[in-house]
Amino acid sequence: MNSTIYIPLDIEKEGKDYLEKNGYRLKFAEDVHKSTLIKDVENCDAILTRSNAIIDEDVIKAGKNLKIISKYGVGINNINVDIATDQGIYVTSTPEANANVVAEHVLAFMLALSKRITIMDEALKAGNFDIRQKVYSDDLEGKNVGVIGLGRIGKLVAEKAHYGFNMNVLGYDPYVTQVPEFVAHKNELEDILQESDFISLHLPKLTSTKHIISSEQFNIMKKNAFFINASRGGTVDESALLSALKNKTIAGAGIDVFEQEPPNTNNELFSLENIIVTPHSAALSKEGARKMSLHAAKQIDQVLKG
Ligand code: NAD
């Protein structure tokens, strides 16, 4: 009998077609309530899941035939990895599918912040054409961008900034073994913070990276610095970010990820002019989503075919 792949939340056609062409049966959920997941997963060989379905201990133990839980996306916080591992079930994700689109999003933040796109847009729509002579933008060319975390995404941001915009790239990552030759690697985080005009965070969320950027770090950044976080909420102390933006300790910020998601609609950050926010959407381009669905499907095929 064909193996069954459980897909609690629908994915793009590319991933589904791949699985069907390889002879798998697909099973979809009515909703993502825990009771539904527990009932549905019983005879399934794999789960292909997005972030909104919580694959906890009870769901995993109900899946007696499960061999792999394949995450569409990178963060696997919605999966109880310890229990899956105990049960001999693989847990995979799709980091390669995401990297370029997130790096592009970071460059979009850098351009929008430096060119004051949201400020100009709002002013002109309110009838203020003279804003053009009151607020001048900044160039990217020749500026320093500090990339914290030189993994998949950080390296792509560094490349795009350097080759695309003629920026000087400073990097900080104590664990990386290969640093691109155009990156000036620093051994101390402080050096990056003090010298950069743009600072972009590309770290995993770990105990060691929790609030790695807080008041102390904002206080040593340049006054004209723009800070960007499209990594994970919690790496930045949000109350410190709020103070830094309110007090103009830094010039502005581009933020895709939040300590609490979804954030409260009355989050004070949203009332500030010098921040641009996106709803954890950096990875969600049409092309990125297609790639995630396909990569997640291929992981399943690889594991089930041994
Ligand atoms: P990666 O694992 O390839 O790179 C992370 C890098 O951080 C590694 O090189 C590691 O050595 C470095 N690092 C770890 N601890 C560090 C520390 N204390 N100081 C400096 N460097 C440190 O990860 P990636 O694929 O580049 O992803 C980076 C982050 O982006 C992750 O948190 C990921 O979850 C997040 N992400 C966000 C989105 C989004 O939608 N916003 C999408 C994809 C990934």
Short mmCIF file of all heavy atoms in Angstrom, two decimals, residues 73-77 94-99 101-103 105-106 109 147-156 172-177 185 189 201-206 208-210 212 229-233 235 256-257 261 278-284 292, ligand 1:
data_model
loop_
_atom_site.label_atom_id
_atom_site.label_comp_id
_atom_site.label_asym_id
_atom_site.label_seq_id
_atom_site.Cartn_x
_atom_site.Cartn_y
_atom_site.Cartn_z
N GLY A 73 9.66 25.28 5.88
CA GLY A 73 10.20 26.45 6.57
C GLY A 73 11.39 26.05 7.40
O GLY A 73 11.86 24.91 7.32
N VAL A 74 11.86 27.00 8.21
CA VAL A 74 13.10 26.74 8.95
C VAL A 74 12.84 26.42 10.43
O VAL A 74 13.28 25.41 10.95
CB VAL A 74 14.06 27.94 8.85
CG1 VAL A 74 15.31 27.69 9.67
CG2 VAL A 74 14.43 28.19 7.42
N GLY A 75 12.12 27.31 11.11
CA GLY A 75 11.94 27.15 12.56
C GLY A 75 11.15 25.88 12.86
O GLY A 75 10.11 25.62 12.25
N ILE A 76 11.67 25.07 13.78
CA ILE A 76 10.97 23.83 14.10
C ILE A 76 10.41 23.88 15.52
O ILE A 76 10.19 22.85 16.16
CB ILE A 76 11.88 22.58 13.89
CG1 ILE A 76 13.25 22.83 14.51
CG2 ILE A 76 12.01 22.24 12.43
CD1 ILE A 76 14.17 21.63 14.45
N ASN A 77 10.13 25.13 15.98
CA ASN A 77 9.62 25.32 17.35
C ASN A 77 8.24 24.68 17.54
O ASN A 77 7.83 24.44 18.66
CB ASN A 77 9.48 26.80 17.69
CG ASN A 77 10.66 27.62 17.23
OD1 ASN A 77 11.30 27.26 16.25
ND2 ASN A 77 10.97 28.68 17.92
N THR A 94 13.63 23.23 5.76
CA THR A 94 14.01 23.63 4.39
C THR A 94 14.81 24.94 4.36
O THR A 94 14.41 25.89 3.69
CB THR A 94 12.74 23.80 3.52
OG1 THR A 94 11.92 24.83 4.14
CG2 THR A 94 11.94 22.54 3.41
N PRO A 95 15.94 24.97 5.06
CA PRO A 95 16.68 26.24 5.15
C PRO A 95 17.18 26.76 3.81
O PRO A 95 17.23 27.96 3.58
CB PRO A 95 17.85 25.91 6.08
CG PRO A 95 17.97 24.43 6.07
CD PRO A 95 16.59 23.90 5.81
N GLU A 96 17.54 25.86 2.90
CA GLU A 96 18.08 26.31 1.61
C GLU A 96 17.01 27.04 0.78
O GLU A 96 17.33 27.93 0.00
CB GLU A 96 18.60 25.12 0.78
CG GLU A 96 19.68 24.30 1.46
CD GLU A 96 20.96 25.10 1.70
OE1 GLU A 96 21.14 26.13 1.05
OE2 GLU A 96 21.75 24.68 2.56
N ALA A 97 15.74 26.65 0.97
CA ALA A 97 14.68 27.26 0.17
C ALA A 97 14.44 28.71 0.57
O ALA A 97 13.94 29.51 -0.21
CB ALA A 97 13.39 26.46 0.35
N ASN A 98 14.81 29.06 1.80
CA ASN A 98 14.47 30.36 2.36
C ASN A 98 15.52 31.43 2.21
O ASN A 98 15.21 32.61 2.31
CB ASN A 98 14.31 30.20 3.88
CG ASN A 98 12.96 29.71 4.24
OD1 ASN A 98 12.06 29.83 3.45
ND2 ASN A 98 12.82 29.20 5.43
N ALA A 99 16.76 31.01 2.08
CA ALA A 99 17.86 31.94 2.32
C ALA A 99 17.83 33.16 1.40
O ALA A 99 17.92 34.30 1.86
CB ALA A 99 19.18 31.19 2.20
N VAL A 101 15.43 34.57 -0.38
CA VAL A 101 14.30 35.50 -0.24
C VAL A 101 14.44 36.33 1.05
O VAL A 101 14.14 37.53 1.06
CB VAL A 101 12.93 34.77 -0.34
CG1 VAL A 101 12.85 33.60 0.57
CG2 VAL A 101 11.78 35.71 -0.02
N VAL A 102 14.95 35.73 2.10
CA VAL A 102 15.14 36.50 3.35
C VAL A 102 16.23 37.56 3.13
O VAL A 102 16.08 38.71 3.55
CB VAL A 102 15.48 35.58 4.54
CG1 VAL A 102 15.74 36.41 5.80
CG2 VAL A 102 14.35 34.59 4.79
N ALA A 103 17.29 37.16 2.43
CA ALA A 103 18.37 38.13 2.16
C ALA A 103 17.83 39.30 1.33
O ALA A 103 18.15 40.47 1.59
CB ALA A 103 19.52 37.45 1.44
N HIS A 105 14.81 40.41 1.37
CA HIS A 105 13.96 41.20 2.28
C HIS A 105 14.81 42.16 3.11
O HIS A 105 14.43 43.31 3.33
CB HIS A 105 13.20 40.23 3.19
CG HIS A 105 11.97 40.79 3.83
ND1 HIS A 105 10.73 40.75 3.25
CD2 HIS A 105 11.79 41.43 5.01
CE1 HIS A 105 9.84 41.32 4.04
NE2 HIS A 105 10.46 41.73 5.13
N VAL A 106 15.96 41.68 3.53
CA VAL A 106 16.87 42.53 4.32
C VAL A 106 17.34 43.72 3.48
O VAL A 106 17.36 44.85 3.95
CB VAL A 106 18.07 41.69 4.84
CG1 VAL A 106 19.15 42.59 5.42
CG2 VAL A 106 17.58 40.70 5.89
N PHE A 109 14.60 46.19 3.30
CA PHE A 109 14.57 47.01 4.52
C PHE A 109 15.64 48.10 4.43
O PHE A 109 15.40 49.26 4.75
CB PHE A 109 14.87 46.16 5.76
CG PHE A 109 13.66 45.53 6.42
CD1 PHE A 109 13.75 44.26 6.99
CD2 PHE A 109 12.45 46.22 6.55
CE1 PHE A 109 12.66 43.69 7.65
CE2 PHE A 109 11.36 45.65 7.19
CZ PHE A 109 11.46 44.38 7.74
N VAL A 147 27.22 42.46 9.42
CA VAL A 147 26.39 41.26 9.35
C VAL A 147 26.74 40.37 10.55
O VAL A 147 27.87 39.90 10.67
CB VAL A 147 26.61 40.51 8.02
CG1 VAL A 147 25.77 39.25 7.96
CG2 VAL A 147 26.29 41.42 6.83
N ILE A 148 25.76 40.17 11.42
CA ILE A 148 26.00 39.37 12.62
C ILE A 148 25.41 37.98 12.39
O ILE A 148 24.19 37.83 12.27
CB ILE A 148 25.37 40.06 13.85
CG1 ILE A 148 25.95 41.47 13.99
CG2 ILE A 148 25.60 39.23 15.12
CD1 ILE A 148 25.30 42.31 15.07
N GLY A 149 26.29 36.99 12.27
CA GLY A 149 25.87 35.63 11.89
C GLY A 149 26.10 35.47 10.40
O GLY A 149 25.36 36.00 9.58
N LEU A 150 27.18 34.73 10.06
CA LEU A 150 27.55 34.59 8.64
C LEU A 150 27.21 33.19 8.13
O LEU A 150 28.04 32.51 7.55
CB LEU A 150 29.03 34.88 8.46
CG LEU A 150 29.43 36.36 8.56
CD1 LEU A 150 30.94 36.51 8.71
CD2 LEU A 150 28.95 37.15 7.34
N GLY A 151 25.98 32.77 8.39
CA GLY A 151 25.51 31.48 7.87
C GLY A 151 24.91 31.67 6.49
O GLY A 151 25.29 32.58 5.75
N ARG A 152 23.93 30.83 6.18
CA ARG A 152 23.33 30.86 4.83
C ARG A 152 22.81 32.25 4.47
O ARG A 152 23.14 32.80 3.42
CB ARG A 152 22.14 29.87 4.77
CG ARG A 152 22.54 28.45 4.50
CD ARG A 152 21.32 27.56 4.59
NE ARG A 152 20.87 27.51 5.97
CZ ARG A 152 21.11 26.48 6.78
NH1 ARG A 152 21.73 25.43 6.34
NH2 ARG A 152 20.70 26.51 8.03
N ILE A 153 21.98 32.83 5.34
CA ILE A 153 21.34 34.11 5.00
C ILE A 153 22.34 35.26 5.13
O ILE A 153 22.44 36.12 4.25
CB ILE A 153 20.09 34.34 5.88
CG1 ILE A 153 19.07 33.23 5.63
CG2 ILE A 153 19.47 35.71 5.58
CD1 ILE A 153 17.87 33.23 6.55
N GLY A 154 23.10 35.27 6.24
CA GLY A 154 24.06 36.35 6.46
C GLY A 154 25.03 36.48 5.29
O GLY A 154 25.32 37.59 4.82
N LYS A 155 25.52 35.36 4.79
CA LYS A 155 26.47 35.40 3.67
C LYS A 155 25.83 35.99 2.41
O LYS A 155 26.46 36.75 1.67
CB LYS A 155 26.98 33.99 3.34
CG LYS A 155 28.19 33.62 4.17
CD LYS A 155 28.89 32.40 3.57
CE LYS A 155 29.90 31.89 4.58
NZ LYS A 155 29.82 30.49 4.88
N LEU A 156 24.57 35.64 2.17
CA LEU A 156 23.89 36.19 0.98
C LEU A 156 23.65 37.69 1.12
O LEU A 156 23.78 38.44 0.16
CB LEU A 156 22.56 35.46 0.75
CG LEU A 156 22.68 34.07 0.14
CD1 LEU A 156 21.33 33.35 0.18
CD2 LEU A 156 23.17 34.16 -1.30
N TYR A 172 30.55 39.33 11.87
CA TYR A 172 30.86 38.76 13.18
C TYR A 172 30.18 37.41 13.30
O TYR A 172 28.95 37.31 13.19
CB TYR A 172 30.37 39.69 14.30
CG TYR A 172 30.48 39.07 15.67
CD1 TYR A 172 31.72 38.96 16.31
CD2 TYR A 172 29.35 38.56 16.32
CE1 TYR A 172 31.83 38.36 17.55
CE2 TYR A 172 29.46 37.96 17.56
CZ TYR A 172 30.70 37.87 18.18
OH TYR A 172 30.81 37.27 19.41
N ASP A 173 30.98 36.37 13.46
CA ASP A 173 30.45 35.02 13.65
C ASP A 173 31.60 34.17 14.18
O ASP A 173 32.47 33.74 13.41
CB ASP A 173 29.92 34.46 12.32
CG ASP A 173 29.20 33.13 12.50
OD1 ASP A 173 29.55 32.38 13.44
OD2 ASP A 173 28.28 32.85 11.70
N PRO A 174 31.66 33.95 15.49
CA PRO A 174 32.80 33.23 16.06
C PRO A 174 32.89 31.76 15.63
O PRO A 174 33.91 31.13 15.83
CB PRO A 174 32.57 33.31 17.57
CG PRO A 174 31.29 34.00 17.80
CD PRO A 174 30.67 34.36 16.50
N TYR A 175 31.81 31.25 15.04
CA TYR A 175 31.79 29.81 14.74
C TYR A 175 32.01 29.49 13.27
O TYR A 175 32.16 28.33 12.90
CB TYR A 175 30.45 29.20 15.18
CG TYR A 175 30.10 29.59 16.59
CD1 TYR A 175 29.08 30.51 16.84
CD2 TYR A 175 30.82 29.08 17.67
CE1 TYR A 175 28.79 30.91 18.13
CE2 TYR A 175 30.53 29.48 18.96
CZ TYR A 175 29.52 30.39 19.19
OH TYR A 175 29.24 30.79 20.46
N VAL A 176 31.99 30.51 12.43
CA VAL A 176 32.05 30.23 11.00
C VAL A 176 33.50 29.91 10.61
O VAL A 176 34.45 30.49 11.16
CB VAL A 176 31.47 31.43 10.22
CG1 VAL A 176 32.47 32.55 10.04
CG2 VAL A 176 30.90 30.99 8.89
N THR A 177 33.66 28.95 9.69
CA THR A 177 35.01 28.56 9.32
C THR A 177 35.48 29.27 8.05
O THR A 177 36.65 29.55 7.89
CB THR A 177 35.11 27.04 9.11
OG1 THR A 177 34.01 26.64 8.32
CG2 THR A 177 35.10 26.30 10.43
N HIS A 185 36.24 40.49 8.84
CA HIS A 185 35.72 39.78 10.02
C HIS A 185 36.24 40.39 11.30
O HIS A 185 37.42 40.71 11.42
CB HIS A 185 36.08 38.30 9.95
CG HIS A 185 35.35 37.49 10.98
ND1 HIS A 185 35.90 37.17 12.19
CD2 HIS A 185 34.09 37.00 10.97
CE1 HIS A 185 34.99 36.50 12.90
NE2 HIS A 185 33.90 36.37 12.18
N LEU A 189 31.92 41.62 18.89
CA LEU A 189 30.63 42.16 18.44
C LEU A 189 30.63 43.69 18.53
O LEU A 189 30.10 44.38 17.66
CB LEU A 189 29.52 41.57 19.33
CG LEU A 189 28.09 42.01 19.05
CD1 LEU A 189 27.68 41.68 17.62
CD2 LEU A 189 27.12 41.36 20.03
N LEU A 201 20.95 41.26 11.71
CA LEU A 201 21.10 40.10 12.59
C LEU A 201 20.66 38.82 11.88
O LEU A 201 19.54 38.77 11.35
CB LEU A 201 20.19 40.35 13.80
CG LEU A 201 20.59 39.82 15.15
CD1 LEU A 201 21.99 40.28 15.51
CD2 LEU A 201 19.61 40.30 16.22
N HIS A 202 21.52 37.79 11.90
CA HIS A 202 21.18 36.52 11.23
C HIS A 202 21.56 35.33 12.10
O HIS A 202 22.30 34.44 11.68
CB HIS A 202 21.86 36.47 9.85
CG HIS A 202 21.38 37.58 9.00
ND1 HIS A 202 20.12 37.60 8.46
CD2 HIS A 202 21.94 38.77 8.67
CE1 HIS A 202 19.93 38.74 7.82
NE2 HIS A 202 21.01 39.46 7.94
N LEU A 203 21.05 35.35 13.32
CA LEU A 203 21.42 34.34 14.31
C LEU A 203 20.27 33.38 14.60
O LEU A 203 19.11 33.77 14.51
CB LEU A 203 21.75 35.04 15.64
CG LEU A 203 22.84 36.09 15.59
CD1 LEU A 203 22.99 36.74 16.94
CD2 LEU A 203 24.14 35.46 15.14
N PRO A 204 20.60 32.16 15.01
CA PRO A 204 19.54 31.27 15.49
C PRO A 204 19.11 31.74 16.87
O PRO A 204 19.84 32.46 17.55
CB PRO A 204 20.24 29.91 15.60
CG PRO A 204 21.69 30.23 15.73
CD PRO A 204 21.93 31.54 15.05
N LYS A 205 17.90 31.33 17.28
CA LYS A 205 17.45 31.68 18.62
C LYS A 205 17.92 30.59 19.59
O LYS A 205 17.45 29.46 19.55
CB LYS A 205 15.92 31.79 18.65
CG LYS A 205 15.42 32.34 19.95
CD LYS A 205 13.93 32.51 19.91
CE LYS A 205 13.38 32.81 21.27
NZ LYS A 205 11.92 32.72 21.29
N LEU A 206 18.89 30.94 20.41
CA LEU A 206 19.47 30.01 21.38
C LEU A 206 19.53 30.73 22.72
O LEU A 206 19.37 31.95 22.78
CB LEU A 206 20.92 29.65 20.98
CG LEU A 206 21.16 29.11 19.58
CD1 LEU A 206 22.65 29.09 19.26
CD2 LEU A 206 20.59 27.71 19.47
N SER A 208 22.13 31.36 24.23
CA SER A 208 23.28 32.27 24.12
C SER A 208 23.00 33.49 23.25
O SER A 208 23.74 34.47 23.29
CB SER A 208 24.49 31.52 23.56
OG SER A 208 24.15 30.98 22.31
N THR A 209 21.94 33.46 22.43
CA THR A 209 21.67 34.62 21.57
C THR A 209 20.45 35.42 22.06
O THR A 209 20.09 36.41 21.44
CB THR A 209 21.44 34.20 20.10
OG1 THR A 209 20.36 33.27 20.05
CG2 THR A 209 22.67 33.58 19.48
N LYS A 210 19.84 34.97 23.17
CA LYS A 210 18.68 35.71 23.70
C LYS A 210 19.12 37.13 24.08
O LYS A 210 20.10 37.32 24.78
CB LYS A 210 18.11 34.97 24.91
CG LYS A 210 16.87 35.66 25.44
CD LYS A 210 16.13 34.82 26.46
CE LYS A 210 14.81 35.51 26.73
NZ LYS A 210 14.57 36.04 27.96
N ILE A 212 20.73 39.29 22.61
CA ILE A 212 22.14 39.59 22.30
C ILE A 212 22.27 41.07 21.92
O ILE A 212 23.32 41.68 22.08
CB ILE A 212 22.67 38.63 21.19
CG1 ILE A 212 24.18 38.70 21.08
CG2 ILE A 212 22.03 38.86 19.85
CD1 ILE A 212 24.81 37.55 20.29
N ASN A 229 16.34 43.25 11.87
CA ASN A 229 16.25 41.88 12.38
C ASN A 229 15.21 41.09 11.59
O ASN A 229 14.01 41.34 11.69
CB ASN A 229 15.90 41.85 13.87
CG ASN A 229 15.99 40.43 14.44
OD1 ASN A 229 16.56 39.53 13.80
ND2 ASN A 229 15.44 40.21 15.62
N ALA A 230 15.71 40.14 10.80
CA ALA A 230 14.82 39.20 10.10
C ALA A 230 15.25 37.78 10.49
O ALA A 230 15.17 36.86 9.69
CB ALA A 230 14.89 39.39 8.59
N SER A 231 15.73 37.64 11.75
CA SER A 231 16.15 36.29 12.17
C SER A 231 15.07 35.65 13.05
O SER A 231 14.17 34.99 12.53
CB SER A 231 17.51 36.32 12.87
OG SER A 231 17.49 37.06 14.06
N ARG A 232 15.11 35.90 14.34
CA ARG A 232 14.09 35.35 15.24
C ARG A 232 13.81 36.36 16.34
O ARG A 232 14.73 37.00 16.86
CB ARG A 232 14.58 34.05 15.90
CG ARG A 232 14.43 32.82 15.03
CD ARG A 232 12.96 32.36 14.93
NE ARG A 232 12.79 31.23 14.03
CZ ARG A 232 12.46 31.31 12.74
NH1 ARG A 232 12.27 32.47 12.16
NH2 ARG A 232 12.31 30.23 12.02
N GLY A 233 12.54 36.48 16.71
CA GLY A 233 12.17 37.33 17.84
C GLY A 233 12.86 36.80 19.08
O GLY A 233 13.12 35.60 19.19
N THR A 235 15.94 37.47 19.96
CA THR A 235 17.38 37.77 19.88
C THR A 235 17.60 39.25 20.23
O THR A 235 18.67 39.63 20.68
CB THR A 235 17.92 37.50 18.45
OG1 THR A 235 17.05 38.16 17.51
CG2 THR A 235 17.96 36.02 18.14
N ASP A 256 11.24 42.18 11.16
CA ASP A 256 10.32 41.17 10.61
C ASP A 256 9.84 40.18 11.66
O ASP A 256 8.86 39.48 11.44
CB ASP A 256 11.04 40.40 9.48
CG ASP A 256 10.14 39.39 8.78
OD1 ASP A 256 9.07 39.80 8.29
OD2 ASP A 256 10.50 38.21 8.72
N VAL A 257 10.55 40.11 12.79
CA VAL A 257 10.26 39.07 13.80
C VAL A 257 10.13 39.70 15.18
O VAL A 257 10.80 40.68 15.48
CB VAL A 257 11.37 37.99 13.79
CG1 VAL A 257 11.30 37.14 12.54
CG2 VAL A 257 12.75 38.62 13.91
N GLU A 261 4.61 36.54 18.80
CA GLU A 261 3.99 36.52 17.47
C GLU A 261 2.67 35.77 17.52
O GLU A 261 2.63 34.67 18.06
CB GLU A 261 4.94 35.87 16.46
CG GLU A 261 6.17 36.74 16.22
CD GLU A 261 7.07 36.25 15.09
OE1 GLU A 261 6.71 35.25 14.43
OE2 GLU A 261 8.12 36.86 14.88
N THR A 278 7.41 44.15 9.16
CA THR A 278 6.70 43.18 8.32
C THR A 278 6.35 41.99 9.21
O THR A 278 7.04 41.72 10.19
CB THR A 278 7.57 42.72 7.11
OG1 THR A 278 8.88 42.36 7.58
CG2 THR A 278 7.70 43.82 6.07
N PRO A 279 5.25 41.29 8.88
CA PRO A 279 4.72 40.25 9.79
C PRO A 279 5.38 38.87 9.62
O PRO A 279 4.73 37.93 9.21
CB PRO A 279 3.25 40.20 9.42
CG PRO A 279 3.24 40.56 7.97
CD PRO A 279 4.37 41.52 7.74
N HIS A 280 6.66 38.77 9.97
CA HIS A 280 7.41 37.52 9.82
C HIS A 280 7.16 36.95 8.41
O HIS A 280 6.84 35.77 8.25
CB HIS A 280 7.02 36.50 10.90
CG HIS A 280 8.07 35.44 11.10
ND1 HIS A 280 8.32 34.85 12.32
CD2 HIS A 280 8.95 34.87 10.24
CE1 HIS A 280 9.30 33.96 12.17
NE2 HIS A 280 9.69 33.96 10.92
N SER A 281 7.30 37.83 7.44
CA SER A 281 6.96 37.46 6.07
C SER A 281 8.19 37.43 5.16
O SER A 281 8.06 37.28 3.95
CB SER A 281 5.93 38.46 5.51
OG SER A 281 6.46 39.77 5.55
N ALA A 282 9.39 37.57 5.77
CA ALA A 282 10.59 37.68 4.94
C ALA A 282 10.77 36.48 4.01
O ALA A 282 11.28 36.62 2.90
CB ALA A 282 11.83 37.85 5.82
N ALA A 283 10.37 35.30 4.45
CA ALA A 283 10.60 34.10 3.63
C ALA A 283 9.47 33.84 2.66
O ALA A 283 9.55 32.94 1.84
CB ALA A 283 10.78 32.89 4.53
N LEU A 284 8.40 34.62 2.76
CA LEU A 284 7.18 34.24 2.07
C LEU A 284 7.02 34.91 0.70
O LEU A 284 6.03 35.58 0.45
CB LEU A 284 5.97 34.50 2.96
CG LEU A 284 5.98 33.70 4.27
CD1 LEU A 284 4.79 34.04 5.14
CD2 LEU A 284 5.99 32.20 3.96
N MET A 292 9.93 25.94 -0.79
CA MET A 292 9.77 25.27 0.51
C MET A 292 8.90 24.03 0.37
O MET A 292 9.19 22.99 0.95
CB MET A 292 9.13 26.24 1.52
CG MET A 292 10.09 27.27 2.05
SD MET A 292 9.45 28.14 3.48
CE MET A 292 8.38 29.34 2.73
P1 NAD B 1 22.51 29.41 9.69
O1 NAD B 1 22.46 28.33 10.70
O2 NAD B 1 22.95 29.08 8.31
O3 NAD B 1 23.43 30.62 10.21
C1 NAD B 1 23.42 31.08 11.52
C2 NAD B 1 24.82 31.59 11.83
O4 NAD B 1 24.81 32.19 13.14
C3 NAD B 1 25.87 30.45 11.88
O5 NAD B 1 26.93 30.73 10.97
C4 NAD B 1 26.37 30.47 13.33
O6 NAD B 1 27.76 30.19 13.42
C5 NAD B 1 26.09 31.90 13.74
N1 NAD B 1 26.00 32.11 15.17
C6 NAD B 1 25.45 31.32 16.12
N2 NAD B 1 25.56 31.89 17.33
C7 NAD B 1 26.21 33.07 17.15
C8 NAD B 1 26.61 34.12 18.01
N3 NAD B 1 26.36 34.08 19.32
N4 NAD B 1 27.22 35.18 17.47
C9 NAD B 1 27.46 35.26 16.13
N5 NAD B 1 27.12 34.28 15.26
C10 NAD B 1 26.50 33.20 15.77
O7 NAD B 1 21.05 30.05 9.69
P2 NAD B 1 20.34 30.86 8.51
O8 NAD B 1 19.64 29.90 7.62
O9 NAD B 1 21.29 31.84 7.94
O10 NAD B 1 19.20 31.60 9.35
C11 NAD B 1 19.53 32.65 10.24
C12 NAD B 1 18.32 33.01 11.07
O11 NAD B 1 17.25 33.47 10.22
C13 NAD B 1 17.72 31.85 11.88
O12 NAD B 1 17.33 32.32 13.15
C14 NAD B 1 16.48 31.47 11.11
O13 NAD B 1 15.52 30.87 11.94
C15 NAD B 1 16.04 32.83 10.62
N6 NAD B 1 15.11 32.81 9.51
C16 NAD B 1 14.12 33.74 9.49
C17 NAD B 1 13.20 33.76 8.45
C18 NAD B 1 12.09 34.79 8.38
O14 NAD B 1 11.07 34.52 7.81
N7 NAD B 1 12.29 35.97 8.93
C19 NAD B 1 13.28 32.79 7.43
C20 NAD B 1 14.33 31.89 7.45
C21 NAD B 1 15.24 31.90 8.50
#
